[in-house]
Amino acid sequence: MSKKKAVINDVTDSLKSGSPRRIGVTVFGILLFFVGAVGMFIPLFPGRTTMLLALILLSVQSPTVHAWVKRKTQKYPRIQSRSDRIRNWVINRVHK
């Protein structure tokens, strides 16, 4: 297993352990999801983008959400690559 993969596995394990970082990522993800839901009804507010960012944050610790995001973005390789980059960025930031 590569070093980067091992770091990502360590981070996801620490996120699953109930650490304050896990709680922070979860709360921020849920908050963004609700803000995105409200943004769907407010003109000129990027509701879909906010909801996608929330799902990416929640996918850091939930394999079910991660699989769902992967499955839904398979048709759009640019969106999938960006969501993977954001997810990896979050994992690396939480690890520090």
Side-chain angles (χ1 to χ4, degrees):
M1 182 169 18
S2 71
K3 183 178 179 181
K4 185 175 183 179
K5 197 74 149 170
V7 168
I8 290 173
N9 287 338
D10 290 344
V11 172
T12 53
D13 288 344
S14 70
L15 286 173
K16 291 178 183 177
S17 68
S19 68
R21 289 180 177 175
R22 175 184 182 233
I23 295 168
V25 169
T26 303
V27 168
F28 191 60
I30 291 171
L31 179 70
L32 276 179
F33 188 81
F34 284 121
V35 168
V38 170
M40 297 292 270
F41 302 105
I42 297 175
L44 301 175
F45 188 80
R48 285 181 275 178
T49 306
T50 307
M51 288 182 83
L52 180 61
L53 182 59
L55 288 172
I56 292 168
L57 281 175
L58 293 172
S59 76
V60 169
Q61 66 192 35
S62 172
T64 306
V65 175
H66 179 64
W68 186 84
V69 170
K70 279 283 201 194
R71 191 172 59 247
K72 293 299 179 185
T73 58
Q74 274 182 339
K75 295 179 189 176
Y76 312 101
R78 287 178 58 194
I79 294 173
Q80 187 174 24
S81 69
R82 286 181 184 170
S83 70
D84 288 340
R85 280 194 317 223
I86 293 169
R87 184 175 187 272
N88 290 335
W89 182 82
V90 169
I91 288 172
N92 289 331
R93 291 294 174 188
V94 168
H95 184 62
K96 286 184 180 182

